[in-house]
């Protein structure tokens, strides 16, 4: 499922729900439907920038987390290893971060699921 972020500040940003969920969990927002108000945008930008900086300090931890989930998730143990996910959190989050920066600067809301 895709999540489409909309704002008067920038073009629409689309991402897979599983990737949007990680970002929105940081912001304490529901992935299905929500809004980041213009007043919330500065804090949302700060939170995302901090998480991106942290993820760049520990790139291997993202790979380990992905590997654990792939092999010990709901399906049970899996001895086959998957390829390493080469798209980093920073790369996935950047388009939404850019939208949030523009929304902050222009004092616009960001919405999804509407």
């Amino acid at each position: 499922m895709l999540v489409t972020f909309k704002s008067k500040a920038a073009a629409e940003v689309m991402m897979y729900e599983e990737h949007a969920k990680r970002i929105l969990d940081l912001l304490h927002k529901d992935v299905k439907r929500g809004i980041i108000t213009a007043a919330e945008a500065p804090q949302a930008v700060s939170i995302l920038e901090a998480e991106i900086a942290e993820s760049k300090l520990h790139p291997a931890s993202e790979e380990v987390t992905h590997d654990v989930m792939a092999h010990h998730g709901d399906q049970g143990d899996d001895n086959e290893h998957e390829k390493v996910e080469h798209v980093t959190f920073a790369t996935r989050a950047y388009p939404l971060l850019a939208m949030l920066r523009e929304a902050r600067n222009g004092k616009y809301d960001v919405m999804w699921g509407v």
Side-chain angles (χ1 to χ4, degrees):
M1 169 84 59
L2 289 175
V3 176
T4 303
F5 295 93
K6 300 176 183 182
S7 177
K8 291 182 180 179
E12 292 182 353
V13 172
M14 292 190 300
M15 64 177 64
Y16 287 110
E17 186 176 318
E18 66 185 90
H19 304 296
K21 183 174 180 356
R22 178 171 176 198
I23 294 169
L24 294 172
D25 283 349
L26 290 170
L27 304 175
H28 306 288
K29 300 288 184 175
D30 182 39
V31 72
K32 297 294 182 189
R33 179 184 231 182
I35 185 170
I36 298 170
T37 65
E40 295 172 322
Q43 183 175 1
V45 168
S46 295
I47 290 169
L48 275 181
E49 287 175 339
E51 184 67 17
I52 287 169
E54 181 67 22
S55 73
K56 287 181 178 180
L57 292 175
H58 308 289
S61 65
E62 283 189 46
E63 293 173 14
V64 170
T65 301
H66 176 74
D67 195 47
V68 168
M69 292 305 293
H71 302 296
H72 303 286
D74 295 336
Q75 309 302 321
D77 290 343
D78 179 7
N79 294 326
E80 298 295 321
H81 289 280
E82 295 181 0
K83 293 181 182 177
V84 174
E85 188 175 325
H86 294 286
V87 181
T88 65
F89 174 75
T91 302
R92 291 192 193 285
Y94 184 78
L96 182 57
L97 177 59
M99 176 186 269
L100 286 168
R101 286 177 177 154
E102 291 300 317
R104 173 193 64 193
N105 296 342
K107 303 206 183 319
Y108 293 109
D109 297 337
V110 174
M111 299 174 282
W112 61 96
V114 292

